[in-house]
């Protein structure tokens, strides 16, 4: 199967992937598949097409409008704990310093410093800007009067997805909008 435009890049027509409940599989990173994987999933009857691009792909005996939104036919449970990564810590803390609220020059801070027996885990790591991290150094929050504005804890996948909705990805096709923000409160 070839694209109708011969120089179309492979990543030019991604499809938003929804779980069987019509919610995105993930928000950060946004669950998208390249068009080649989507076409294969459609033929294998693993997904339903919800919306399409105007773009068509063709083979000698077949043509198909490329899906822009697909929905899995089988529900995938999201019951595993999120990975403990720098990105997920930043996402949990809203990409801002838990001490001053700055979003610049972010790093992470051990509430109880490693030099004092602190561990690198969800409950002891927070997002901090470099100036606050340097100011706190290897002291305890009570020692210097620097307390995080929220208690660090392991978030659920749903909490991370909620945070992810606040930071839209670079590519948002118009057909995706109803599925990414359907539960956002409307204002008049």
């Amino acid at each position: 199967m070839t694209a109708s435009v011969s120089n179309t890049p492979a990543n030019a027509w991604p499809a938003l992937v929804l779980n069987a409940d019509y919610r995105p599989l993930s928000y950060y990173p946004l669950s998208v598949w390249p068009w080649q994987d989507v076409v294969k999933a459609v033929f294998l009857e693993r997904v339903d097409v919800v919306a399409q691009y105007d773009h068509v792909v063709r083979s000698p005996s077949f043509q198909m409008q490329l899906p822009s939104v697909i929905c899995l036919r089988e529900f995938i449970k999201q019951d595993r704990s999120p990975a403990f990564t720098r990105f997920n810590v930043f996402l949990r803390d809203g990409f801002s310093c838990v001490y001053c609220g700055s979003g610049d020059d972010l790093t992470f801070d051990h509430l109880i410093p490693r030099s004092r027996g602190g561990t690198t885990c969800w409950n002891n790591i927070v997002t901090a800007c470099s100036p606050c991290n340097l100011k706190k150094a290897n002291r305890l929050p009570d020692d210097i009067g620097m307390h995080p504005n929220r208690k660090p804890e392991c978030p659920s996948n749903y909490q991370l997805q909620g945070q992810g909705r606040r930071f839209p990805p670079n590519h948002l096709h118009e057909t995706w909008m109803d599925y990414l923000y359907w539960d956002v409160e409307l204002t008049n």
Side-chain angles (χ1 to χ4, degrees):
M1 188 170 293
T2 59
S4 61
V5 178
S6 60
N7 59 357
T8 301
N11 61 353
W13 306 98
L16 175 66
V17 182
L18 307 175
N19 210 339
D21 64 356
Y22 282 78
R23 292 181 183 206
L25 277 179
S26 67
Y27 283 89
Y28 242 80
L30 189 62
S31 50
V32 294
W33 288 356
W35 68 266
Q36 297 93 331
D37 292 346
V38 173
V39 169
K40 180 179 177 181
V42 169
F43 275 105
L44 293 174
E45 298 181 352
R46 294 182 180 154
V47 299
D48 292 319
V49 176
V50 178
Q52 299 171 324
Y53 291 109
D54 290 334
H55 193 75
V56 175
V57 291
R58 295 180 175 87
S59 74
S61 61
F62 179 80
Q63 79 174 26
M64 174 184 188
Q65 254 185 296
L66 286 178
S68 62
V69 180
I70 57 173
C71 181
L72 299 177
R73 289 191 174 179
E74 292 189 27
F75 184 78
I76 296 178
K77 288 181 77 173
Q78 304 273 333
D79 57 358
R80 60 174 167 60
S81 295
F84 179 60
T85 64
R86 178 182 296 260
F87 182 84
N88 281 346
V89 170
F90 287 177
L91 182 59
R92 176 199 68 188
D93 294 343
F95 292 94
S96 61
C97 176
V98 298
Y99 301 116
C100 72
S102 171
D104 298 328
D105 200 16
L106 296 177
T107 183
F108 65 86
D109 178 50
H110 290 79
L111 286 180
I112 301 171
R114 288 188 294 179
S115 64
R116 296 187 177 206
T119 58
T120 304
C121 64
W122 282 110
N123 299 331
N124 194 45
I125 296 289
V126 294
T127 303
C129 65
S130 288
C132 285
N133 200 359
L134 289 171
K135 180 179 175 184
K136 182 177 167 286
N138 69 341
R139 294 176 281 200
L140 296 172
D142 286 340
D143 294 346
I144 192 165
M146 289 180 69
H147 297 280
N149 58 15
R150 57 191 157 271
K151 181 182 176 188
E153 57 189 12
C154 179
S156 69
N157 282 313
Y158 292 108
Q159 289 169 322
L160 287 183
Q161 286 183 359
Q163 281 289 84
R165 285 188 203 103
R166 296 178 45 218
F167 305 99
N170 295 335
H171 173 80
L172 290 176
H173 190 262
E174 63 205 29
T175 59
W176 299 8
M177 300 309 281
D178 285 338
Y179 303 99
L180 293 178
Y181 302 108
W182 65 270
D183 58 350
V184 173
E185 187 173 330
L186 301 175
T187 58
N188 41 334

